[in-house]
Amino acid sequence: MATPKPKIPLFFIFLLTQATSPVFCSSSSPASSKCSTHTFPQNRAFPSCVDLPYLDSYLHWDYEPSTGILRIAYRHAAITSPASTWVAWAINPSAPAMIGSQALVAYHRDGQLTAYTSPVYDYSTSLIEAKLSVDVRDVTAEYSTDDREIAIFAYIRLKENTTTLNHVWQDGPMDGGKPIQHSTSGGNLKSAGTLNLLSGQSAGGGGGGGGDDRIKKRNVGTRNAAGLCFFGYGFLLVFSFLVGTS
Ligand SMILES: *[C@@H]1O[C@H](CO)[C@@H](O)[C@H](O)[C@H]1NC(C)=O
């Protein structure tokens, strides 16, 4: 009954697990703050989140592929002039770009935070309120003085079994109480990407049964970072399997 010893040197496995650990996955995120440690007031929880790479922004979401219902919270922190800044997060059904995006917008109007929807047809948009081409409900926004943060919340109905979406996020100044063009340099020109709604859920979204269960939050990167995470966890799974069966 002498079982053969594992053929894979443990040191090698150690190296692999280090290289593919979640720490590695979040290495492209801003070091200052992480979405995974954020808690929303009133016990609202989102099983998945990502630290967006530009504009001090974070996206949190809860997604049910079988229904296509996506619940999101977009947070833009560290806003220099909160009373005169608009922020927006948008889905773009055609490309990770500004034109064609279906935006959720928030800013302070007469001292009162307001949130609404605005489809973006051209570069000269002043983000006028109008209906979107995607089904969006319950758009609300909240301001937090502590970290000068505006958060936009909404429900979005996607086509069933949608797994990825193009998204764009943005901030810009106000003039005469109206949003005007955002900066055309730095992060403001790079704040778009493709998001995999499912890879962000893999660690904690499954259960959902117990009301008091703490849903483990995970942050995943967009684009390459998400791919790396996926790649990394894949390796972990495969090697756990190898070790377990050798
Ligand atoms: C979505 O996926 C589920 C499970 O694979 C499948 O049963 C269902 O038919 C799919 N729905 C659509 C609209 O493709």
Side-chain angles (χ1 to χ4, degrees):
M1 290 287 278
T3 48
K5 287 281 149 247
K7 293 168 206 72
I8 305 156
L10 281 175
F11 180 63
F12 180 53
I13 294 165
F14 172 76
L15 278 184
L16 263 168
T17 53
Q18 289 306 298
T20 57
S21 71
V23 174
F24 182 71
C25 288
S26 49
S27 63
S28 69
S29 308
S32 54
S33 187
K34 297 277 180 223
C35 69
S36 54
T37 58
H38 185 79
T39 51
F40 290 92
Q42 295 148 23
N43 290 326
R44 283 169 300 177
F46 294 83
S48 305
C49 72
V50 59
D51 300 327
L52 298 172
Y54 307 104
L55 308 180
D56 298 304
S57 293
Y58 311 87
L59 186 72
H60 300 251
W61 73 95
D62 186 5
Y63 180 52
E64 178 54 56
S66 63
T67 60
I69 303 284
L70 172 67
R71 189 170 59 94
I72 65 107
Y74 165 73
R75 295 165 45 223
H76 188 319
I79 299 173
T80 312
S81 313
S84 57
T85 298
W86 59 266
V87 305
W89 179 83
I91 285 182
N92 192 325
S94 47
M98 173 183 165
I99 303 300
S101 65
Q102 306 293 306
L104 314 176
V105 185
Y107 60 83
H108 285 92
R109 183 186 284 164
D110 302 326
Q112 194 77 25
L113 190 64
T114 179
Y116 63 91
T117 62
S118 177
V120 176
Y121 299 112
D122 54 53
Y123 289 109
S124 61
T125 182
S126 51
L127 295 172
I128 289 167
E129 181 168 359
K131 206 170 176 308
L132 301 184
S133 70
V134 292
D135 187 358
V136 173
R137 307 272 165 93
D138 298 334
V139 182
T140 58
E142 287 168 18
Y143 179 67
S144 153
T145 322
D146 290 349
D147 33 14
R148 300 197 314 277
E149 172 182 297
I150 294 177
I152 301 177
F153 301 86
Y155 285 84
I156 300 160
R157 186 191 289 273
L158 302 171
K159 198 164 162 287
E160 287 162 45
N161 297 335
T162 300
T163 55
T164 60
L165 53 81
N166 304 311
H167 70 144
V168 184
W169 61 100
Q170 198 52 268
D171 63 25
M174 311 279 298
D175 186 32
K178 293 195 171 67
I180 57 169
Q181 192 186 28
H182 62 77
S183 159
T184 53
S185 63
N188 294 85
L189 282 191
K190 298 177 186 159
S191 50
T194 304
L195 183 70
N196 187 316
L197 296 167
L198 298 185
S199 60
Q201 275 188 326
S202 58
D212 288 322
D213 284 353
R214 269 275 172 101
I215 299 167
K216 193 180 167 223
K217 293 181 189 172
R218 250 188 68 204
N219 55 328
V220 292
T222 43
R223 290 183 171 180
N224 299 340
L228 278 175
C229 286
F230 195 71
F231 188 68
Y233 283 112
F235 257 118
L236 275 182
L237 280 177
V238 167
F239 276 89
S240 318
F241 179 76
L242 283 178
V243 169
T245 56
S246 58

